[in-house]
C-alpha cells in the first residue's frame, strides 16, 4: 500500500517561512524594563500620584504592553506571546520578592534599634507601657517552656502513630487514623486553642498556664510530625526490614534498631520544622497563656508570656516605645525560627539516605 | 518537500566535554539513512544536533555547519524554533500528549503554526493518520485520549503527529526499541512508505533493522574510552553489511564488540 | 522405645510459633497503636466539646445564628450572628486567592522553567523559608508598613474604579479594610501555593516537553501544551491548601483590620471582621456565655476549613487514579 507523493496543501505555504528572521537583540527585555520604570515614575508624577505601589503597577503594565507591541512588530505574534509569558513570569517574581525583601528589611532595621543584651535578659517587670526599657526575657522563657512541653507531648505520639501507620497499619483503624490525621492538619490554630479552652479551662476549671498553651500547640504539632515521619519511614527500603527479619530479629527490634535509625535524619528535620512552626503561633497562646509582664518560670501555674504574644501585646499598646519593643521581639522571633529552619534543613541534607536522586 | 542534509565539521559538547568530533556527511533526500554503533558513541547526540535539540540540554553546544538544502541550520539569525518545525523527530518512548485526544495530538503541530478551520485540520489529521497506517484503527475514536492506545499504536500516533506538519526531514531516535516485534515490523513497513515523501534518519541499536530498513548506513564509534565519538564509515547499506571498508565496522557488524 | 520430644521443648516450639505473643512486639505494637488511638480520641474530643458548647450558646441565641449582623452575647436577650464574620472571612480569602494563585503559578514556573539554573535552587530555598515566617510578623509589617502604602492605592481605586460598587470608598479612614487584609493574606499564602505548585511542575514528564519542542514550539507553548495540563490538579489542590490557611488566619488580620460589625460591600471602607480575628479580639472581655458564642463561631470556621481541605485531598486522590497512564 503505497501513497503517491501528496500535493502540499496551500495552507502550509503561508506558514512556511525562512529559517531566519529578524530577532530582537538580547538586551531588549532589560531596555524595555528600564523604559517602563521611567514611564511608571513619569506618569505617576505627572498625574499627581505619589504611592510607589502605583508607580510599580504602572511600570509593570507598560512593560507588558511595550514588550508585546515591539515583539509583534519585529518578530511575529507567536514570539510575542512567548515574550509576554516570559515577562509576566518575571513580573510575578519581582512582585513576590519586593514585599518579602521589605518585610526582612523593616524587621531587621527596626528591630536592631532596641535589641541588645539587656533586652534579651530582662522582663517587663515594672516598666510602664509608654516608657522605653524592659525586655523580652520572660517571653523567651515562656516560649521555650511551652514549645518544649509541646514537643515532649507531640513528638513521641506523632512518631509512634507514624510507626503504626507505616509498619503495622492495615485495616479500618489505620484508615481512620490516616483520615483524621489529615483532618487535624487543617485545624486553624485558634480552633485548637478554643478546644483546650473549652475543656481545660472552662470545664475543668484550671486557670491560664503555659501548660495549657503547650497542649494546644501539641495538637497543632502532632499531625505535622505524623506526616513527615511517615514520609521518612516510607523512604526506608523494604529490603532492610526483610533482611533484619530474616535474621530472626523480632519486628519491634527491627523497627527500633534498623528502620528508625535509618530515617532518623529526616525525622529530626520534620520535628524541628514542626517546632519552628508552632514557635510562631500566637492565637492559642493568646487564649490560654494569657500574657504577663513578669517572669514566670513555672509552666504549670499562672500566666506566662511568649515571643509572638509579646509582639502582639506591645503592638496593641501602641506607644512608640512599645512598638519599638515589638519590632525587636519580632526580630528575635524570626531569628529563632529561621535558625531552627536552617539547622533542620542542614540535618536533612547531611543525613539524607544516599538513594540515588 | 524532502531536503538534502549536508553536515560539515560538526562537533557537539556538553559543557567542556566533547561528545562527538568533526563529523561530515551527506544525506540524500527521500532516502533512509541509519546510524549504528555501540552505546554511548554519540549517535543520538548527533541526531539531536540535526534539529537543534542538543542545545536544549543544559550546557549543550554545537560547532560546525548543518546545511538543509541551501540554508545553514546554525547560521546566525536562525531561529531554533523554526528549525524544529522543518525537521521533525520521533522519540524512543512513545510520548503522545496525555491530556489531548488523538485528533488534538495529530493537530498539535498544525495548531502551533497558524489557525486553521476545523475542516482543514480534519483533512490533514486524516491524511497523516493514513500516512502512519493508523487511520483504520482509530478513525472511530478520534476524541479519545492518546494515552489509551497500545505502545505500537502510540508510536504510530507520534509519527502521524510528526508528519502532519510536512517536515523536510524526519529524525527517528530508536523508535522501535520500546516496542514488541509485531509493532516493530509495522513501523519498519511504514518507514519504507514514508521515505517516498521525506528524508529519514534513524538511529538504531538493532543491526538487522538497519539492514532491513535503510538505503545508507553510517557507523559511529568512540576512538577510545573517554574520547568523543566519530563517524567511522558511511556507505550503501548493502556494502556496509557485506563488505565494509574499515576493520572496526567489520568487528562491530560481526558482533566482536558492542 | 520411640523417642518422643520432651514436653519442655514441645512447649517452647508452640510458643515460638505464635510470634505475636512475644512481649516486646506486643508492647511496642500496643504503644504505636495506642498513639494512633490517642489521635482519634483527641479529634473526637475536639468535635464533641466544641459542638457541646456551641449548642449551649446557639440555643440561647435569640436571633438567627447564621444571618444576624450583630455580636452581642452579653445582651439581654443575647443576640449574635456570624453573617458579618462569614462575609469578611470569605471575601478576604477570595481576594487573597485571586491575587496569590496566578502569582504563585508564575513564580513556580519561574523556578521550574525560566530561571537560570544557578538561581533556581537558592530561590526555591528562599521561598521555602518564607513559608516559615510567623503570621504575627506579617501582621506587624502589614499594619505599620503596608497600610500607609495602600492608602494611596485605595484613593486611586476609589477615584477611577469607584463605579464598581466594591471600590467605592464611602467612609473615611485609613486603609484598614478587607481589601488590605486580602492583599496581606495573599502575601502570606503565596509561599505555600508556590511550593506545592513548583513540585508539581518539576515533575512534568520531560518527554512530553521534548515532544512539544520537537514540533517547533516556543518555550511558552511547551509550557502550555505539556506542563500546565499536567499540573492542573496540582495547582487546584495547592490553591485550596492556601485557601485553608487564609481562612484560619488570626493574628495578621487582628492586627491589620479595624474591626466593626458591619457587613458592607464597600471593600475599601475600614471595618468588618473574620471568624478567627473576632475570637481573638473578643474572648478576653467575654463572660462565659460570650466565650461559648465565640466557640460556636470557631466551630463554623473549623467546618469550613475541613470542607476546603477535604476537597483538596479528594482532588489529589482523584488525580492519582487518573494518571495511571504515566508509565
Amino acid at each position: 500500500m503505497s501513497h503517491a507523493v501528496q500535493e502540499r496543501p496551500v495552507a502550509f505555504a503561508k506558514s512556511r517561512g525562512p529559517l531566519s528572521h529578524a530577532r530582537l537583540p538580547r538586551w531588549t527585555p532589560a531596555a524595555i524594563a528600564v523604559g517602563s520604570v521611567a514611564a511608571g515614575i513619569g506618569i505617576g508624577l505627572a498625574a499627581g500620584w505619589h504611592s510607589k505601589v502605583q508607580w510599580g503597577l504602572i511600570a509593570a503594565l507598560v512593560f507588558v504592553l511595550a514588550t508585546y507591541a515591539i515583539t509583534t512588530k519585529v518578530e511575529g505574534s507567536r514570539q510575542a506571546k512567548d515574550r509576554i509569558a516570559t515577562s509576566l513570569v518575571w513580573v510575578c517574581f519581582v512582585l513576590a520578592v519586593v514585599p518579602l525583601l521589605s518585610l526582612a528589611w523593616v524587621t531587621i532595621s527596626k528591630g536592631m534599634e532596641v535589641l541588645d543584651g539587656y533586652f534579651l535578659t530582662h522582663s517587663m517587670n515594672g516598666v510602664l507601657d509608654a516608657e522605653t526599657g524592659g525586655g523580652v526575657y520572660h517571653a523567651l522563657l515562656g516560649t521555650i517552656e511551652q514549645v518544649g512541653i509541646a514537643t515532649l507531648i507531640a513528638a513521641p505520639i506523632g512518631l509512634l502513630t507514624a510507626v503504626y501507620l507505616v509498619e503495622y497499619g492495615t485495616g479500618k483503624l489505620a484508615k481512620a487514623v490516616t483520615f483524621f490525621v489529615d483532618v487535624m492538619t487543617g485545624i486553624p490554630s485558634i480552633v485548637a486553642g478554643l478546644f483546650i479552652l473549652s475543656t481545660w479551662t472552662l470545664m475543668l476549671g484550671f486557670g491560664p498556664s503555659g501548660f495549657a498553651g503547650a497542649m494546644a500547640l501539641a495538637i497543632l504539632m502532632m499531625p505535622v510530625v505524623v506526616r513527615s515521619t511517615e514520609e521518612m519511614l516510607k523512604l526506608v527500603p523494604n529490603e532492610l526490614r526483610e533482611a533484619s527479619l530474616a535474621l530472626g530479629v523480632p519486628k519491634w527490634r527491627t523497627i527500633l534498631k534498623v528502620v528508625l535509625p535509618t530515617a532518623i535524619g529526616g525525622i529530626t528535620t520534620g520535628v524541628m520544622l514542626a517546632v519552628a512552626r508552632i514557635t510562631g503561633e500566637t492565637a492559642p497562646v493568646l487564649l490560654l497563656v494569657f500574657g504577663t509582664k513578669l517572669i514566670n518560670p513555672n509552666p504549670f501555674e499562672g500566666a506566662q508570656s511568649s515571643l509572638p504574644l509579646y509582639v502582639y501585646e506591645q503592638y496593641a499598646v501602641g506607644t512608640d516605645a512599645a512598638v519599638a519593643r515589638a519590632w525587636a521581639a519580632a526580630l528575635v522571633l524570626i531569628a529563632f525560627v529561621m535558625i531552627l529552619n536552617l539547622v533542620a534543613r542542614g540535618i536533612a541534607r547531611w543525613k539524607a539516605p544516599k538513594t540515588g536522586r | 518537500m524532502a531536503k538534502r542534509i549536508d553536515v560539515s565539521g560538526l562537533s557537539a559538547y556538553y559543557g567542556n566535554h566533547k561528545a562527538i568530533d568533526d563529523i561530515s556527511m551527506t544525506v540524500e533526500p527521500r532516502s533512509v539513512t541509519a546510524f549504528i554503533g555501540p552505546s554511548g558513541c554519540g549517535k543520538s547526540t548527533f541526531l539531536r544536533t540535526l534539529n537543534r535539540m542538543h542545545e536544549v540540554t543544559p550546557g549543550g553546544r554545537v560547532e560546525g555547519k548543518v546545511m538543509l538544502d541551501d540554508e545553514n541550520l546554525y547560521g546566525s539569525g536562525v531561529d531554533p524554533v523554526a528549525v524544529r518545525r522543518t525537521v521533525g523527530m520521533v522519540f524512543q518512548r512513545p510520548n503522545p500528549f496525555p491530556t489531548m485526544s488523538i485528533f488534538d495530538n495529530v493537530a498539535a503541530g498544525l495548531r502551533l503554526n497558524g489557525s486553521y478551520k476545523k475542516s482543514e485540520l480534519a483533512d490533514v489529521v486524516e491524511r497523516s493518520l493514513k500516512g502512519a497506517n493508523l487511520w483504520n484503527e482509530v478513525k472511530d475514536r478520534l476524541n479519545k485520549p492518546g494515552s489509551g492506545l497500545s505502545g505500537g499504536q502510540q508510536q504510530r500516533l507520534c509519527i502521524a503527529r510528526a508528519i502532519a506538519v510536512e517536515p523536510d526531514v524526519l529524525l527517528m531516535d530508536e523508535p522501535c526499541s520500546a516496542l514488541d516485534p509485531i509493532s516493530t515490523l509495522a513501523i519498519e513497513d511504514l518507514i519504507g512508505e514514508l521515505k517516498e515523501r521525506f528524508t529519514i534518519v534513524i538511529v538504531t541499536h538493532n543491526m538487522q533493522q538497519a539492514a532491513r530498513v535503510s538505503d545508507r548506513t553510517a557507523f559511529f564509534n568512540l576512538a577510545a574510552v573517554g574520547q568523543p565519538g566519530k563517524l567511522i564509515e558511511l556507505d550503501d547499506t548493502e556494502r556496509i553489511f557485506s563488505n565494509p571498508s574499515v576493520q572496526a565496522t567489520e568487528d562491530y557488524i560481526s558482533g566482536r564488540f558492542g | 522405645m520411640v523417642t518422643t520430644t520432651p514436653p519442655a521443648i514441645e512447649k517452647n516450639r508452640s510458643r515460638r510459633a505464635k510470634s505475636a505473643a512475644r512481649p516486646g512486639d506486643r508492647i511496642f505494637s500496643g504503644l504505636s497503636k495506642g498513639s494512633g488511638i490517642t489521635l482519634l480520641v483527641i479529634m473526637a474530643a475536639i468535635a464533641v466539646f466544641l459542638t457541646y458548647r456551641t449548642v449551649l450558646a446557639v440555643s440561647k441565641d435569640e436571633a438567627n445564628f447564621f444571618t444576624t449582623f450583630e455580636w452581642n452575647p452579653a445582651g439581654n436577650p443575647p443576640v449574635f450572628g456570624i453573617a458579618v464574620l462569614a462575609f469578611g472571612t470569605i471575601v478576604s480569602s477570595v481576594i487573597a486567592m485571586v491575587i496569590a494563585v496566578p502569582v504563585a503559578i508564575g513564580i513556580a514556573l519561574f523556578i521550574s522553567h525560566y530561571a537560570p539554573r544557578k538561581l533556581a535552587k537558592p530561590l526555591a530555598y528562599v521561598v521555602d523559608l518564607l513559608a516559615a515566617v510567623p503570621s504575627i510578623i506579617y501582621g506587624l509589617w502589614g499594619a505599620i508598613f503596608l497600610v500607609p502604602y495602600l492608602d494611596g492605592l485605595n484613593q486611586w481605586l476609589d477615584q477611577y474604579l469607584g463605579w464598581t460598587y466594591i471600590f467605592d470608598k464611602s467612609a473615611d479612614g485609613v486603609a484598614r479594610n478587607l481589601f488590605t487584609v486580602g492583599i496581606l493574606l495573599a502575601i502570606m499564602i503565596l509561599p505555600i501555593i508556590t511550593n506545592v505548585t513548583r513540585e508539581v511542575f518539576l515533575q512534568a514528564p520531560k518527554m512530553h516537553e521534548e515532544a512539544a519542542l520537537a514540533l517547533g514550539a516556543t518555550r511558552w507553548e511547551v509550557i502550555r501544551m505539556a506542563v500546565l495540563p499536567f499540573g492542573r490538579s496540582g495547582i487546584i489542590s495547592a490553591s485550596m491548601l492556601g485557601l485553608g490557611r487564609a481562612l484560619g488566619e488570626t493574628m495578621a488580620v487582628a492586627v491589620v483590620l479595624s474591626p466593626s460589625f458591619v457587613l458592607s460591600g464597600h471593600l475599601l471602607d475600614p471595618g468588618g471582621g473574620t471568624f478567627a480575628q473576632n475570637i481573638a479580639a473578643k474572648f478576653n472581655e467575654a463572660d462565659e456565655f460570650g466565650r461559648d458564642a465565640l466557640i460556636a463561631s470557631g466551630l463554623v470556621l473549623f467546618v469550613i476549613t475541613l470542607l476546603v481541605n477535604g476537597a483538596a485531598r479528594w482532588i489529589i486522590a482523584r488525580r492519582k487514579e487518573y494518571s495511571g497512564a504515566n508509565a
Side-chain angles (χ1 to χ4, degrees), chain A residues 49 54 78 82 86 89 96 100 102 160-161 180-181 183-186 199 203 222 252 282 287 315 341-342, chain C residues 24-25 32 35 39-40 43 49 107 114 125 130 132 141 143 145 156 176 216 220-221 251 255 283 306 309 313:
Chain A
W49 303 323
Q54 288 161 277
R78 261 178 83 195
D82 186 41
T86 309
V89 167
L100 300 166
S102 153
L160 284 171
T161 305
F180 280 106
V181 167
V183 169
M184 262 178 111
T185 46
T199 48
M203 229 182 58
M222 265 185 252
W252 68 276
T282 322
L287 296 182
Y315 169 76
N341 258 285
L342 290 172
Chain C
D25 265 330
S32 36
S35 303
L39 246 73
L40 285 183
M43 275 309 303
F49 282 107
I107 302 178
Y114 281 89
Y125 198 72
L130 285 168
W141 175 79
F145 194 76
W156 184 88
R176 286 173 172 275
W220 165 243
E221 286 161 347
M251 299 318 295
V255 169
F283 112 99
L306 263 182
N309 279 314
R313 288 178 213 288

Side-chain angles (χ1 to χ4, degrees), chain A:
Chain A
M1 189 178 37
S2 83
H3 300 264
V5 173
Q6 312 278 350
E7 314 157 2
R8 199 129 53 86
V10 179
F12 285 118
K14 74 178 179 215
S15 62
R16 179 81 73 203
L19 287 180
S20 57
H21 51 74
R23 307 267 301 265
L24 288 171
R26 286 186 127 206
W27 42 263
T28 310
I32 301 184
V34 168
S36 315
V37 170
I41 300 181
I43 298 179
L45 284 175
W49 303 323
H50 296 286
S51 161
K52 296 222 187 70
V53 172
Q54 288 161 277
W55 295 352
L57 288 177
I58 298 176
L61 195 62
V62 169
F63 183 67
V64 172
L65 289 176
T67 306
Y68 188 73
I70 297 180
T71 314
T72 307
K73 189 91 196 334
V74 176
E75 287 188 355
S77 74
R78 261 178 83 195
Q79 304 290 15
K81 290 202 192 107
D82 186 41
R83 273 202 200 272
I84 291 280
T86 309
S87 46
L88 278 179
V89 167
W90 275 92
V91 163
C92 284
F93 171 55
V94 169
L95 264 186
V97 163
V98 165
L100 300 166
L101 273 183
S102 153
L103 188 125
W105 174 251
V106 169
T107 310
I108 295 179
S109 60
K110 291 210 175 207
M112 291 304 290
E113 284 173 20
V114 176
L115 182 62
D116 57 13
Y118 182 88
F119 189 73
L120 288 175
T121 49
H122 287 76
S123 75
M124 291 294 288
N125 193 357
V127 179
L128 290 178
D129 286 337
E131 282 181 346
T132 54
V136 87
Y137 178 73
H138 59 303
L140 258 180
L141 186 63
T143 293
I144 294 179
E145 286 186 350
Q146 289 149 32
V147 166
I149 297 180
T151 310
L152 279 176
I153 302 177
I157 297 184
L159 203 98
L160 284 171
T161 305
V163 165
Y164 173 69
L165 286 176
V166 174
E167 311 284 338
Y168 290 100
T170 46
K172 286 200 168 161
L173 182 59
K175 285 215 183 77
V177 171
T178 276
F179 177 72
F180 280 106
V181 167
D182 268 342
V183 169
M184 262 178 111
T185 46
I187 298 185
S189 57
I190 189 114
V191 173
L194 279 181
F195 165 60
I196 300 289
L197 185 74
S198 61
T199 48
W200 188 255
T201 314
L202 295 183
M203 229 182 58
L204 296 176
F206 291 101
S209 68
F211 181 65
M215 284 197 287
L217 293 178
I219 292 183
L220 292 175
M221 201 175 156
M222 265 185 252
V224 179
V225 172
V226 171
R227 278 282 165 256
S228 64
T229 309
E230 249 192 301
E231 298 281 312
M232 290 300 129
L233 290 178
K234 282 188 190 157
L235 278 181
V236 175
N238 240 348
E239 288 80 44
L240 277 183
R241 295 184 183 84
E242 291 176 352
S244 170
L245 291 174
L247 285 171
V249 178
K251 184 162 184 178
W252 68 276
R253 281 196 115 193
T254 302
I255 299 176
L256 213 49
K257 296 268 175 176
V258 174
V259 179
L260 282 179
T262 311
I264 194 70
I267 296 179
T268 313
T269 304
V271 171
M272 287 183 78
L273 288 178
V275 168
R277 247 191 68 178
I278 60 167
T279 307
E281 288 291 352
T282 322
V285 181
L286 180 65
L287 296 182
L288 297 163
V289 182
F290 221 63
T292 170
K293 283 186 169 181
L294 313 168
I295 302 180
N296 177 4
N298 184 355
F300 293 97
E301 215 184 292
Q304 277 189 325
S305 185
S306 87
L307 267 180
L309 185 57
Y310 181 87
V311 172
Y312 179 60
E313 281 174 342
Q314 290 299 308
Y315 169 76
V317 162
T319 62
D320 282 342
V323 171
R325 282 193 287 266
W327 281 115
L331 183 56
V332 174
L333 177 59
I334 242 192
F336 196 72
V337 167
M338 283 303 152
I339 293 179
L340 269 177
N341 258 285
L342 290 172
V343 172
R345 285 170 207 284
I347 294 184
R349 215 149 3 137
W350 176 45
K351 278 256 181 174
K354 306 288 189 277
T355 50
R357 240 261 227 141

Side-chain angles (χ1 to χ4, degrees), chain A residues 1-9 11-12 14-23 78-79, chain B residues 71 73 77-79 81-83 85-86 110 112-113 116 127 130 133 164-166 193 196-197:
Chain A
M1 189 178 37
S2 83
H3 300 264
V5 173
Q6 312 278 350
E7 314 157 2
R8 199 129 53 86
F12 285 118
K14 74 178 179 215
S15 62
R16 179 81 73 203
L19 287 180
S20 57
H21 51 74
R23 307 267 301 265
R78 261 178 83 195
Q79 304 290 15
Chain B
E71 285 186 281
L73 297 185
V78 171
D79 185 6
V81 169
V83 169
R85 249 194 314 123
T86 47
L110 297 166
L112 283 179
N113 290 321
Y116 299 91
R127 227 173 327 120
K130 281 186 176 153
N133 284 345
V165 292
E166 303 269 339
E193 293 169 18
E196 297 179 22
R197 294 160 63 187

Side-chain angles (χ1 to χ4, degrees), chain C residues 266-287:
Chain C
H266 300 295
L267 297 180
L268 296 181
D269 289 348
T274 70
F275 288 113
Q277 167 265 333
N278 189 51
I279 296 172
K282 292 221 163 49
F283 112 99
N284 233 326
E285 313 145 354
D287 60 5

